[in-house]
Each structure stands twice: as C-alpha cells, then as structure tokens.
Amino acid sequence: MHYITKITNFSASHRVFNPELSDEENEKIFGKCSNKNGHGHNYKLEVTVCGDINPLTGYAIDLKILKSLIEKEIIEKVDHKNLNTDLDFLKNQIPSIENLATAFWQILENKLPSGKLYKIKIFETDNSFVEYYGN
Amino acid sequence: MHYITKITNFSASHRVFNPELSDEENEKIFGKCSNKNGHGHNYKLEVTVCGDINPLTGYAIDLKILKSLIEKEIIEKVDHKNLNTDLDFLKNQIPSIENLATAFWQILENKLPSGKLYKIKIFETDNSFVEYYGN
Amino acid sequence: MHYITKITNFSASHRVFNPELSDEENEKIFGKCSNKNGHGHNYKLEVTVCGDINPLTGYAIDLKILKSLIEKEIIEKVDHKNLNTDLDFLKNQIPSIENLATAFWQILENKLPSGKLYKIKIFETDNSFVEYYGN
Amino acid sequence: MHYITKITNFSASHRVFNPELSDEENEKIFGKCSNKNGHGHNYKLEVTVCGDINPLTGYAIDLKILKSLIEKEIIEKVDHKNLNTDLDFLKNQIPSIENLATAFWQILENKLPSGKLYKIKIFETDNSFVEYYGN
Amino acid sequence: MHYITKITNFSASHRVFNPELSDEENEKIFGKCSNKNGHGHNYKLEVTVCGDINPLTGYAIDLKILKSLIEKEIIEKVDHKNLNTDLDFLKNQIPSIENLATAFWQILENKLPSGKLYKIKIFETDNSFVEYYGN
Amino acid sequence: MHYITKITNFSASHRVFNPELSDEENEKIFGKCSNKNGHGHNYKLEVTVCGDINPLTGYAIDLKILKSLIEKEIIEKVDHKNLNTDLDFLKNQIPSIENLATAFWQILENKLPSGKLYKIKIFETDNSFVEYYGN
C-alpha cells in the first residue's frame, strides 16, 4: 500500500463567526477573525490517496488525474471566492478549516478513479493546519 | 553600509476592481480577482533598512525595534482586515500589491529610529511579489 | 475527529554530551555536537491536538488558545535560552530533540483547555526532526 | 517510542514509460512524462526510523549514523543519475516514486544500526509525494 | 517604478559537458554533472519586470498576462524536456543556468505587453541560483 | 555579467552583548539576546559572485569550487561553534549578523578562483537577514 499526495493552493476570504450569536459573543470567541468585512488566506490543500501499485503504470494513482479531479471538484469552486457567501456546500456552516476539511472529504470520497481517499490536510497559514481522515 | 530586513505576515481580503469601470470591464481586466464578495491572501511583508554599523551594539538597526515599528504601524492596521473597506490610507485606491507597497513606504519612511528605508517587498502568494524602492 | 496543529519557533543553544562520560567518549559519540562552548539552532515546534468539532465555533480546538498555551508553557521558557543550564525541566538530561519532545509532552498533556494532545514534532534543522505520540 | 527523520536530496533524470506498451499507449497514459529524451527532478527523501531513547546518548537513533547510511546506500547511487538506465536495483521497473520508495525500503530495511525503519517519503516536486510503510 | 516578479517552475534533464572536450576532460571539469545518461532538476524561474503603476488597474504589469507569456514562451518549451537535445534555442550551448538565463532573456525581452524586463533568476536546486540583468 | 549564488548553512550559538557595558545596559539594549548562557541559531549563508560566462564551461563560476571554498573557509570554522569564544576572526566583536557578514566578506574577498565577490547575505532566522556588498 502506497500513500500518494497532491498539493494544491487556493486564495479565499472568510469571516469566522456564528450567526446565532451576538456581535459581542462573536468578538469574544473569534476576536479579529470575526472582523465584519472579512479577511482572507492563501490556503494549501493536501489530498492523500492510498492504493496498491498498478504494474502497468508503476503508479498507485495517476497524479495527473488526481490533480485534475481536485482542481475541478474543489479549486475551481473555492479559489478567489468568499467562503461565507459563495459556496453552496458550506451554506450554514462556520468556514473553519475543520468544516472545510469535512466538506472536501465528502466531495472527493466517491469521485476517485482509483485508490481510496486517506487524508485531507489544509493549511490556513504557514503555521496552522488541520488533518482529517474521514471520521 | 549594511542592509537589514525583517519579514512579517498578515492575512487580509480584497476585491481588485476599479469602481469607475463597469462590471463587465472589471471582469474583463481583473477576472476572478474582481469577484464581488472578495477573496483573500496571506501576505508576506519584507522591510529593508540600510545603515552603518553602530559600534556600541554591532547593529545597523535593532531588529527588535524595527519589528515593533512594522507591527504597530502596519500589521496591526492591515491584519485580518478588508483592504477595500477597512483602511484609511488605501481609500479610493485599488488594493493591488503595487499600491500597498507605495502606501507602506509612505507610512514607514519617516518613522525609522535609525537607518534609512531601502525597500518594501510584498508577496501576495508564494509565486507573486512586488518590490518598491521609494521612487 | 479532526487533528489541529500549531507551529511555533524558538532559538536556543545546547551542548550534546553525557556528563558521566569522559571528554574522549563524548567526542567519539557526539562529534562536533559536543563542542565545549556549545552551538545552537532555530527549533520549529509543531503541537497537534485532536478533538471533535464544537458546533458553536466550528473549531475542534481554538488555535488562538492553543498558541497562547504553547507560548506561555514552552516558548517563553526555552526561547533564547541554553538548554543545558537554563531549564529546570531538562535538568540532568541530555538536550536531544527526543528528550525535548518527551519533556514538552509532559508539560502540555494536562493543560489543554479542550481536545487531547496527539503529537509533538520538533525540527532541530530543516533536515532533522523527531515525532512523539506520548508513549 | 520516538520517530526520527532525516531529510536528504538528490537530482536525477527519468522517463516514465512502460517498455511493453507502444509509443502511442505510453503517450496516452504518461503524457509529457514519457518524453523520449527524458526529464528530471530534484527529489527530496525523508527516512523515518523509530526506537526507544538510549539513556547513554539521549538519542533513539544517531542522526549522523542514519545520514551516513542513507548517503552511502542511496544518495551516492541515485544522485546525478538516470533512473531508467543507471541503477541495478530499478532494472525492469518503471521509475515512479512508488517503485523508488519500495526499492529504497528494501535497501535500508536490514541495514539500520539501531531502531526500526518506519517510513520512506519521497517528494518528486514540491507538490507531489509518496509515503510507504513497508507493506 | 515598481518591480513585479512572477515565479514558475519546470522539470528538465540535462548533461553538463562540452562536446569539444574529451570524456576525461569533461569528467575532470564537470564531475558527476557530466554523467553520460544525464540527470535532472526541478528548476524555479523568477521573471522580474519593472514599470510605473497604471492608474486604471493599480498594476505596473498584469501578473495574469505575465504568467501566460512565461508559460507560453518558456515553460511549455522546457518543462519535461531534455535541455541538451529538445530545445532549438539551446542548440550548441552547454545547458548551464547561466546559458539558460541568457536564452530566456532573449526570448522575453521584446515580448512584454507592458513594462520592461529587469531580471531573470533561475534556481537549479534549493541552494544554487543565477541572476541575469541583460548585460 | 551573471550573478551566481551558493547557499550553505551552519548552526552556532552566541550571546549578543557589549563587554564594555554593564549587565543592566546590556539587558536594556539587547534583551533576551544577551542571556548569559547564550542561545543559538541555524544560520543560512548566501554568497553571490559575479563574472562573465567562460565559453569552455558555460559557467560564470564553478559552483562546486565556490561551495568547497565556502565550506573550507567559513562553514568548517563556524558550524557547531560558539561565535563569542571559538572564532579568532570575531575576537573582540559583538557577534551580530552585520559583523559576521563583514568578517565573511574579508575572508572570501581575495580567495575566489574566478569571478568577483558581489554579496554576502546571512539569515539568522527565517524572518531576519542582513545583506552586505563590501562597503
């Protein structure tokens, strides 16, 4: 079993806040991340798939195909977007990297041409990241 | 003469568009960067100062002081903000890294405790940056 | 279950040697790392915590709180220090990254406001690191 | 148990193709990676070993010894080489990072002076890597 | 005047040798870089253009256009290629980064839609690079 | 004229203080950098040389030779050392990166086999660096 990872990037804005809370509560919990006009990040997304080597190709999964899948299913939808307002699959969710990772897992889980989704890793900054294994 | 650089980071959102143009013209010129609900970046800011070595300290400029100055005058104002709406010094300007670099130069130029401002460098992504030397 | 990581940095000096061995034995085992006047590194520390998403915040753990905890409990104690002489919690231990990781685990294990400590990772240089999972 | 990793680098060329397939089939499967005159990469190799701390040294494994082993057994053989033609241990294999990782595992598995081989990780570019745990 | 840089990447193989010298002389001068079957690198290319800010756009040069130009004129020609055999514009030249930088300069110099070419910078590895300013 | 750069690394400890000042004055000026038992860094050193391309080799300077020179003249002397006590060429100087850059310039200036020394750049951390051009 080999674990293969493709790294891609996207830039998006968000405001981290819970609409069911008051402004004061949001400010207290989320601090500057709840700035009303939003802020943004260059996100780095790492998708890891596992599988056995196909003797025809020497590949566990073809990284060209994995990259195309990630770009079509995720990057085109989130790059240069506002995560609070522009994405159907994040509607009514706080756009934290935890919720993003869960949403990306659900999108990719059944779309893989070969191999099995193993991990979603998202960096929000160079110093903060989440990892999610599907449960 | 030694050239001393301090690197800092901030996260902000923006929409790149010219309010004097139509939506179609903005879309044509700026593409996805003009998305109406904005997007964002982790910006990296490099400030370079030059000066002669002070024999008392061995420093051309004290990086602790330079860092405090950059944080107070720039980072606190732009981090976790919307560059279109939240900054007085960018009012009526398109929030490109060129205009940001010019604005940061004007803010820092006369505030240095020692040394002389030499360069402002801003990365918008890992693959795109501007350098500005004050003229 | 989501795994959340915060990365921080500190700069410290150390001398890697066993005081119960002779100078010749230390030189033989540790080479230039046992230089009598010490040497130093910029260490990178990654602390990973796991937990379920809190629906109120969208967070498994609040990275602001995790960062404050790491800075108070670890960075303030080790940054710009000599690991052989300045730290009570490393007394009588060889300051290897293995022993550092174990010590940091013990410090953080019971201090987390939410979530559960999962991993301590320490880079000594860009090319060498340790990972520790608590046992 | 601590997990210790040493990172090394090598530069090599390869052509990704299956000699049992026609040129058209290779072009269809491997695209530009099957360019007849080859192309190349700066590979990054991470070798992870696990073990208990030796109280004499504070080390789970001596990174100087691990580095020497990796350089002698792997880097000297693959650096500045053509992976299709210059390596006995890759003969008759497609030089994918999956097959490289498997081959490196077999080379190192029984050569470790202490500790136990845990993982081989190979980056082919900054954005693509494989991880292999020996089965 | 602002200086704008776009960073792109390509992977290629080469053999560094002078066909007018004997094998022994090539081996003596170029060492392992003259390995007969070649080796390869992930090259990083930084193209810097300078110009005044266009008040209509806030840009000195549109990075989307600069990126398209670099990809069309350079990356498509050199990525996943053999620099000794596959490139007309390097015919009869030793494929060093110095000669690559000169060739890229000549390709881009007169093709810029706005702004003026200022610098070509090429990394051959993370630790080696050339900079060229056109003369 | 091409500018060629080789990047190397070393790890060293230092204490930033002026022995002619009192402990209180040192603490006031240098803060935690003057900790009596010292601290340390992984330094990154970039040496840039300029010259014309030698048509025999395609090189402005042979990076293998430049690397050997830097390793022999600088890295072997400073790596895993204490900059305050172990280096003759820094005797009676405050071990700031400004003074290090000046000292390295003086060491390398007349030792180059070809080309001309253009710049010394030293990173003390990922976020702080000095550049020196010899005057």
Coordinates of all heavy atoms in Angstrom, one line a residue, chain D residues 14-60:
Chain D
H14 N 14.7 10.9 -15.5 CA 14.0 9.6 -15.8 C 13.0 9.8 -17.0 O 12.8 11.0 -17.4 CB 13.2 9.1 -14.5 CG 12.0 9.8 -14.1 ND1 11.0 9.3 -13.3 CD2 11.6 11.1 -14.4 CE1 10.1 10.2 -13.1 NE2 10.4 11.3 -13.7
R15 N 12.6 8.7 -17.5 CA 11.5 8.7 -18.5 C 10.4 7.8 -17.9 O 10.8 6.6 -17.6 CB 12.0 8.3 -19.8 CG 10.9 8.3 -20.9 CD 11.3 7.5 -22.1 NE 10.1 7.5 -23.0 CZ 10.0 6.6 -24.0 NH1 11.0 5.8 -24.3 NH2 8.9 6.6 -24.8
V16 N 9.2 8.2 -17.7 CA 8.2 7.3 -17.2 C 7.5 6.7 -18.4 O 6.7 7.3 -19.1 CB 7.2 8.1 -16.3 CG1 6.3 7.1 -15.6 CG2 7.9 8.9 -15.3
F17 N 7.7 5.4 -18.6 CA 7.1 4.7 -19.7 C 7.1 3.2 -19.4 O 8.0 2.7 -18.6 CB 7.7 5.1 -21.0 CG 9.0 4.4 -21.3 CD1 9.1 3.4 -22.4 CD2 10.1 4.6 -20.6 CE1 10.3 2.8 -22.6 CE2 11.3 4.0 -20.8 CZ 11.4 3.1 -21.8
N18 N 6.3 2.5 -20.0 CA 6.3 1.0 -19.9 C 6.8 0.4 -21.2 O 6.1 0.5 -22.3 CB 4.9 0.5 -19.6 CG 4.8 -1.0 -19.3 OD1 5.7 -1.7 -19.8 ND2 3.8 -1.4 -18.6
P19 N 8.0 -0.2 -21.2 CA 8.6 -0.7 -22.5 C 7.7 -1.7 -23.2 O 7.9 -2.0 -24.4 CB 9.9 -1.2 -22.1 CG 9.8 -1.5 -20.6 CD 8.8 -0.5 -20.1
E20 N 6.7 -2.3 -22.5 CA 5.9 -3.3 -23.1 C 4.7 -2.7 -23.9 O 3.9 -3.4 -24.5 CB 5.4 -4.3 -22.1 CG 6.6 -5.1 -21.4 CD 6.1 -6.1 -20.4 OE1 4.9 -6.3 -20.2 OE2 7.0 -6.6 -19.7
L21 N 4.6 -1.4 -23.7 CA 3.5 -0.7 -24.4 C 4.0 0.0 -25.7 O 5.2 0.3 -25.8 CB 2.8 0.3 -23.5 CG 2.2 -0.2 -22.2 CD1 1.6 0.9 -21.4 CD2 1.1 -1.3 -22.5
S22 N 3.1 0.4 -26.6 CA 3.5 1.1 -27.8 C 3.8 2.6 -27.4 O 3.4 3.0 -26.3 CB 2.4 1.1 -28.8 OG 1.3 1.8 -28.3
D23 N 4.4 3.3 -28.3 CA 4.6 4.7 -28.1 C 3.3 5.5 -27.8 O 3.2 6.4 -27.0 CB 5.4 5.4 -29.3 CG 6.9 5.0 -29.3 OD1 7.3 4.3 -28.3 OD2 7.6 5.4 -30.2
E24 N 2.3 5.1 -28.6 CA 1.0 5.8 -28.5 C 0.4 5.5 -27.1 O -0.1 6.4 -26.5 CB 0.0 5.3 -29.6 CG 0.4 5.8 -31.0 CD 1.6 5.1 -31.6 OE1 1.8 3.9 -31.1 OE2 2.2 5.6 -32.5
E25 N 0.5 4.3 -26.7 CA -0.1 3.9 -25.4 C 0.7 4.7 -24.3 O 0.1 5.2 -23.3 CB -0.1 2.4 -25.2 CG -1.1 1.7 -26.0 CD -0.9 0.2 -26.0 OE1 0.3 -0.3 -26.2 OE2 -1.9 -0.5 -25.7
N26 N 2.0 4.7 -24.4 CA 2.8 5.4 -23.4 C 2.4 6.9 -23.3 O 2.2 7.5 -22.3 CB 4.3 5.2 -23.6 CG 4.8 4.0 -23.0 OD1 4.7 3.8 -21.8 ND2 5.4 3.1 -23.8
E27 N 2.3 7.5 -24.5 CA 2.0 8.9 -24.6 C 0.6 9.1 -24.0 O 0.4 10.1 -23.3 CB 2.0 9.3 -26.1 CG 1.3 10.7 -26.4 CD 2.0 11.9 -25.8 OE1 3.2 11.7 -25.6 OE2 1.4 12.9 -25.6
K28 N -0.3 8.2 -24.2 CA -1.7 8.4 -23.7 C -1.7 8.3 -22.2 O -2.4 9.0 -21.5 CB -2.6 7.3 -24.3 CG -4.1 7.6 -24.1 CD -4.9 6.5 -24.8 CE -6.4 6.5 -24.2 NZ -7.1 5.3 -24.4
I29 N -1.0 7.3 -21.7 CA -1.0 7.1 -20.2 C -0.1 8.1 -19.5 O -0.5 8.7 -18.5 CB -0.5 5.7 -19.9 CG1 -1.5 4.6 -20.4 CG2 -0.4 5.5 -18.3 CD1 -1.0 3.2 -20.2
F30 N 1.1 8.3 -20.0 CA 2.0 9.1 -19.2 C 2.2 10.6 -19.7 O 2.9 11.3 -19.0 CB 3.4 8.4 -19.2 CG 3.4 7.0 -18.6 CD1 3.5 5.9 -19.4 CD2 3.2 6.9 -17.2 CE1 3.4 4.6 -18.8 CE2 3.1 5.6 -16.6 CZ 3.2 4.5 -17.4
G31 N 1.7 10.9 -20.8 CA 1.8 12.3 -21.3 C 3.2 12.8 -21.4 O 4.1 12.0 -21.8
K32 N 3.4 14.0 -21.0 CA 4.8 14.6 -21.2 C 5.8 13.9 -20.3 O 7.0 14.0 -20.6 CB 4.7 16.1 -20.9 CG 4.4 16.4 -19.4 CD 4.2 17.9 -19.2 CE 3.8 18.2 -17.8 NZ 3.6 19.7 -17.6
C33 N 5.4 13.1 -19.3 CA 6.3 12.3 -18.5 C 7.0 11.2 -19.3 O 8.0 10.7 -18.9 CB 5.7 11.7 -17.3 SG 5.0 12.9 -16.2
S34 N 6.5 10.9 -20.5 CA 7.1 9.8 -21.3 C 8.0 10.4 -22.4 O 8.4 9.7 -23.3 CB 6.0 8.9 -21.9 OG 5.3 9.6 -22.8
N35 N 8.3 11.7 -22.4 CA 9.2 12.4 -23.4 C 10.4 11.5 -23.6 O 11.1 11.1 -22.7 CB 9.6 13.7 -22.9 CG 10.6 14.4 -23.8 OD1 10.5 14.3 -25.0 ND2 11.6 15.1 -23.1
K36 N 10.7 11.2 -24.9 CA 11.7 10.2 -25.2 C 13.1 10.5 -24.7 O 13.9 9.6 -24.3 CB 11.8 10.0 -26.7 CG 10.6 9.1 -27.2 CD 10.9 8.5 -28.6 CE 9.8 7.5 -28.9 NZ 9.7 7.2 -30.3
N37 N 13.4 11.8 -24.7 CA 14.8 12.1 -24.2 C 14.8 12.4 -22.7 O 15.8 12.8 -22.1 CB 15.3 13.4 -24.9 CG 15.4 13.1 -26.4 OD1 16.1 12.1 -26.8 ND2 14.9 13.9 -27.3
G38 N 13.7 12.1 -22.0 CA 13.7 12.2 -20.5 C 13.5 13.6 -20.0 O 13.5 14.6 -20.8
H39 N 13.3 13.7 -18.7 CA 13.3 15.0 -18.0 C 13.9 14.6 -16.6 O 14.4 13.6 -16.4 CB 11.9 15.5 -17.9 CG 10.9 14.6 -17.2 ND1 10.4 13.5 -17.7 CD2 10.4 14.7 -15.9 CE1 9.6 12.9 -16.8 NE2 9.6 13.6 -15.7
G40 N 13.7 15.5 -15.6 CA 14.3 15.2 -14.4 C 13.8 16.0 -13.2 O 12.9 16.9 -13.4
H41 N 14.2 15.7 -12.0 CA 13.7 16.3 -10.8 C 14.8 16.5 -9.7 O 15.8 15.7 -9.8 CB 12.6 15.5 -10.2 CG 11.4 15.3 -11.1 ND1 10.5 16.3 -11.4 CD2 11.0 14.2 -11.8 CE1 9.5 15.8 -12.2 NE2 9.8 14.5 -12.5
N42 N 14.6 17.4 -8.8 CA 15.3 17.4 -7.5 C 14.4 16.6 -6.6 O 13.3 17.1 -6.2 CB 15.5 18.8 -7.0 CG 16.3 19.7 -7.9 OD1 17.2 19.2 -8.6 ND2 16.0 20.9 -8.0
Y43 N 14.7 15.4 -6.2 CA 13.9 14.6 -5.3 C 14.3 14.9 -3.9 O 15.5 15.2 -3.6 CB 14.2 13.1 -5.5 CG 13.7 12.6 -6.9 CD1 14.5 12.7 -8.0 CD2 12.4 12.0 -7.0 CE1 14.0 12.2 -9.3 CE2 12.0 11.5 -8.2 CZ 12.8 11.6 -9.3 OH 12.3 11.2 -10.5
K44 N 13.3 14.9 -3.0 CA 13.6 15.1 -1.5 C 13.2 13.7 -0.9 O 12.1 13.3 -1.1 CB 12.8 16.2 -0.9 CG 13.1 16.5 0.5 CD 12.7 17.8 1.0 CE 11.2 17.8 1.3 NZ 10.8 18.9 2.2
L45 N 14.1 13.2 -0.1 CA 13.9 11.9 0.5 C 13.9 12.0 2.0 O 14.8 12.5 2.6 CB 15.0 10.9 0.1 CG 15.1 9.6 0.9 CD1 13.9 8.7 0.7 CD2 16.4 8.8 0.5
E46 N 12.8 11.5 2.6 CA 12.7 11.6 4.1 C 12.6 10.1 4.6 O 11.7 9.4 4.2 CB 11.4 12.3 4.6 CG 11.4 13.7 4.1 CD 10.2 14.5 4.7 OE1 9.6 14.0 5.7 OE2 10.0 15.7 4.3
V47 N 13.6 9.7 5.4 CA 13.6 8.4 6.0 C 13.3 8.5 7.5 O 14.0 9.2 8.2 CB 15.0 7.7 5.8 CG1 15.1 6.4 6.5 CG2 15.3 7.6 4.3
T48 N 12.3 7.8 7.9 CA 11.9 7.8 9.3 C 12.1 6.5 10.0 O 11.7 5.4 9.5 CB 10.4 8.2 9.5 OG1 10.1 9.4 8.8 CG2 10.0 8.2 10.9
V49 N 12.8 6.5 11.2 CA 13.1 5.4 12.0 C 12.5 5.5 13.3 O 12.4 6.6 13.8 CB 14.7 5.2 12.1 CG1 15.1 4.1 13.0 CG2 15.3 5.1 10.7
C50 N 12.1 4.4 14.0 CA 11.5 4.6 15.3 C 12.3 3.7 16.3 O 12.9 2.7 15.9 CB 10.0 4.2 15.3 SG 9.7 2.5 14.8
G51 N 12.3 4.1 17.5 CA 13.0 3.4 18.5 C 12.9 4.0 19.9 O 12.3 5.1 20.0
D52 N 13.3 3.4 20.9 CA 13.3 3.9 22.3 C 14.6 4.7 22.5 O 15.6 4.5 21.9 CB 13.2 2.8 23.3 CG 11.9 2.1 23.2 OD1 10.8 2.8 23.1 OD2 11.9 0.8 23.2
I53 N 14.5 5.7 23.4 CA 15.7 6.5 23.7 C 16.7 5.7 24.4 O 16.5 5.0 25.4 CB 15.3 7.7 24.6 CG1 14.3 8.6 23.9 CG2 16.5 8.5 25.1 CD1 13.9 9.9 24.7
N54 N 18.0 5.8 23.9 CA 19.1 5.2 24.6 C 19.6 6.1 25.7 O 20.0 7.2 25.4 CB 20.2 5.0 23.5 CG 21.5 4.4 24.1 OD1 21.7 4.4 25.3 ND2 22.4 3.9 23.2
P55 N 19.5 5.7 27.0 CA 19.9 6.7 28.0 C 21.3 7.1 28.0 O 21.6 8.2 28.5 CB 19.6 5.9 29.3 CG 19.4 4.5 28.9 CD 19.1 4.4 27.5
L56 N 22.2 6.4 27.4 CA 23.6 6.8 27.3 C 23.8 8.0 26.4 O 24.6 8.9 26.6 CB 24.4 5.7 26.6 CG 25.9 5.9 26.5 CD1 26.6 5.8 27.9 CD2 26.6 4.9 25.5
T57 N 22.9 8.2 25.3 CA 23.1 9.2 24.3 C 21.9 10.2 24.3 O 22.1 11.3 23.7 CB 23.2 8.6 22.9 OG1 22.0 7.9 22.6 CG2 24.4 7.7 22.8
G58 N 20.8 9.8 24.8 CA 19.6 10.7 24.6 C 19.0 10.6 23.2 O 18.0 11.2 22.9
Y59 N 19.5 9.7 22.4 CA 19.1 9.5 21.1 C 18.3 8.2 20.9 O 18.6 7.2 21.5 CB 20.3 9.4 20.1 CG 21.1 10.6 19.9 CD1 22.4 10.5 19.5 CD2 20.6 11.9 20.1 CE1 23.3 11.6 19.2 CE2 21.5 13.0 19.9 CZ 22.8 12.8 19.5 OH 23.6 13.9 19.2
A60 N 17.2 8.2 20.1 CA 16.6 7.0 19.6 C 17.4 6.4 18.5 O 17.6 5.1 18.5 CB 15.2 7.3 19.2

